[in-house]
Amino acid sequence: MPEIVLQAEHLDYTYPNGRAAVIDVCFSVERGRKIFFHGANGAGKTTLFQCLAGLLKPKGGSVRIDGQVVKKESERMRRMSLVFQNADDQIVSGSVFDEIAFGPLNERLPHEEIVRRVERAMQIMNVTHLRDKPPHFLSYGEKKRVCIASILSMNREIIILDEPTAGLDAKQREELVGILNDLTDQGKTLLIATHDTDFSFRLADHVIVLDGGALLCEGTAEDVFSRTDVLDRAGLVPPVMMSVYKMLRDHSLIPATTIPKCVDDLSKLLEDNHEQ
């Protein structure tokens, strides 16, 4: 039986100007899974993430972690961390090392433990060579990697990433795929917002689509991205790999089978079909 680590129960949030940004949102997240959130700009993804992480106080509903309602925002912040969409909104320190050490330092961890965590996070995100650089003068992609490293150093069980691929080049995106897979292999639970259906289709264990602050649809990536009504309403395009697979299948060039997640999967499928 899968273990539920996080539950959102009828979450609501309305901004002071009266705009309802999150409306009666309910979902459950299994431990060690990658859950992807989609929706047009203004659909409520960022506001929902901030409510979950304790940066905003929901106007209604509750958040459960490991089955227990966690009312205090400060307690939720100790259990999960959020990587902001805009890296500049997150950076507060004068060097990369200090930025990544900021969280563990505020938790008053022993110096040796802080250094160990920072060194490991820098290595994972490939920013060790930037350790003494002022983060505000880095490229956007470098800033993004530093922000993710700063979250990794805090060793949270639930990590929330808002548009993590923004500003990353193709090589960095491929590195991020490996990092996210490694994190879930270690038992971390990831909530990821993105507009990139190709990225989501490749990695998602579960997909949630928001529209106008409300939950529009959820399910496997294949099921959700096969629904043209959902794609149209949420302003999404189907993953390229799904479109290519369906074209090849419809022309009898490959058999009907599980849709390949990436180019390597498709290449293997074509090779196997050719050998037959």
Side-chain angles (χ1 to χ4, degrees), residues 2 5 7 30 36 49 63 80 118 122 172 177 192 244 261:
V5 64
Q7 293 168 279
E30 295 176 3
F36 277 75
F49 280 180
V63 176
M80 63 182 91
V118 173
M122 288 195 300
Q172 292 165 349
V177 168
I192 303 165
V244 170
K261 296 289 187 179

Side-chain angles (χ1 to χ4, degrees), residues 74-94:
S74 59
E75 177 61 24
R76 291 209 295 278
M77 292 173 70
R78 284 194 288 270
R79 304 290 297 276
M80 63 182 91
S81 289
L82 169 64
V83 179
F84 291 4
Q85 179 175 352
N86 186 346
D88 288 319
D89 292 340
Q90 192 161 341
I91 292 171
V92 297
S93 301

Side-chain angles (χ1 to χ4, degrees), residues 12-160:
D12 285 294
Y13 187 84
T14 301
Y15 284 103
N17 64 5
R19 182 174 72 88
V22 177
I23 305 170
D24 195 32
V25 170
C26 302
F27 61 87
S28 298
V29 176
E30 295 176 3
R31 188 181 304 279
R33 299 290 186 173
K34 291 182 284 288
I35 313 301
F36 277 75
F37 290 75
H38 286 273
N41 289 332
K45 302 185 298 296
T46 296
T47 304
L48 173 62
F49 280 180
Q50 292 178 347
C51 288
L52 292 172
L55 300 178
L56 291 176
K57 184 176 182 180
K59 306 302 181 182
S62 59
V63 176
R64 289 181 182 269
I65 300 177
D66 291 332
Q68 301 297 315
V69 174
V70 183
K71 293 182 179 180
K72 292 184 178 181
E73 284 72 30
S74 59
E75 177 61 24
R76 291 209 295 278
M77 292 173 70
R78 284 194 288 270
R79 304 290 297 276
M80 63 182 91
S81 289
L82 169 64
V83 179
F84 291 4
Q85 179 175 352
N86 186 346
D88 288 319
D89 292 340
Q90 192 161 341
I91 292 171
V92 297
S93 301
S95 74
V96 166
F97 186 95
D98 290 343
E99 180 65 29
I100 299 171
F102 183 81
L105 188 63
N106 282 340
E107 293 181 347
R108 302 183 184 279
L109 296 175
H111 176 75
E112 295 79 8
E113 176 64 12
I114 293 173
V115 172
R116 187 190 69 81
R117 288 192 184 191
V118 173
E119 294 289 353
R120 181 174 180 274
M122 288 195 300
Q123 183 178 18
I124 291 172
M125 294 309 301
N126 193 26
V127 295
T128 303
H129 63 292
L130 302 173
R131 61 186 300 136
D132 297 321
K133 300 286 186 181
H136 286 290
F137 293 100
L138 300 178
S139 71
Y140 190 82
E142 289 170 336
K143 290 178 182 178
K144 198 77 171 183
R145 285 187 284 152
V146 168
C147 288
I148 295 174
S150 71
I151 296 303
L152 296 183
S153 71
M154 297 174 71
N155 198 29
R156 297 293 191 256
E157 57 189 306
I158 302 170
I159 301 173
I160 304 174

